[in-house]
Amino acid sequence: MEAYFDDGTIYFSQVRGSSLYVDGIHLWLHGLNGKAEIATETIIDEGVPEEILDRLEELCKSCGDEVWGYEDFGSLEDINIYLDNGYVFFEAKAENYRCLPSVAKISNVVEKILMESGYANWESRRGLKDS
């Protein structure tokens, strides 16, 4: 994993080899006790069938509303989950960094979306064909 710091943003890349369902993590801290933001990105492989992409997009929209009720997500100021240009993005804003959910909890939300959409099953079958 690599970490970069630029203009108040900490970016962790190459998380893809981990057990997390996120491939990159952005963290913005606005002062020591100021507002904080986190964004994760999950790479969606090329060649995904259109019906799975459509389901991914639907689940991102519906899961965004559902996440407010999850433990450690209720104190957030804003949550945005969406599919764009081959990535699933999860973005959250909070009053301070202590209110942000852990990356593991965000990973669990993304895992649910990938599983329910059929993407995870498609990806594992594709991996077997490639080996």
Side-chain angles (χ1 to χ4, degrees), residues 10-116:
I10 302 170
Y11 175 65
F12 300 92
S13 66
Q14 300 178 1
V15 185
R16 192 168 182 143
S18 77
S19 61
L20 296 171
Y21 285 85
V22 298
D23 300 312
I25 306 158
H26 299 263
L27 182 62
W28 294 269
L29 303 174
H30 306 280
L32 292 177
N33 288 312
K35 293 193 181 282
E37 301 173 47
I38 190 167
T40 66
E41 56 194 37
T42 301
I43 299 169
I44 301 300
D45 292 331
E46 293 181 9
V48 179
E50 199 63 39
E51 63 271 7
I52 292 177
L53 288 174
D54 291 344
R55 185 77 176 128
L56 273 170
E57 192 166 9
E58 289 173 27
L59 286 165
C60 285
K61 290 177 185 175
S62 64
C63 201
D65 293 334
E66 181 183 322
V67 167
W68 289 105
Y70 290 5
E71 185 179 341
D72 294 334
F73 289 82
S75 62
L76 294 173
E77 293 179 352
D78 190 28
I79 298 171
N80 193 15
I81 306 170
Y82 58 96
L83 178 68
D84 186 38
N85 206 21
Y87 293 89
V88 171
F89 291 100
F90 182 106
E91 301 171 346
K93 296 179 182 178
E95 186 63 34
N96 63 58
Y97 72 91
R98 289 185 289 288
C99 296
L100 291 174
S102 70
V103 174
K105 294 206 185 234
I106 293 172
S107 175
N108 291 341
V109 172
V110 174
E111 177 185 19
K112 179 180 177 181
I113 292 168
L114 297 178
M115 294 294 184
E116 289 184 13

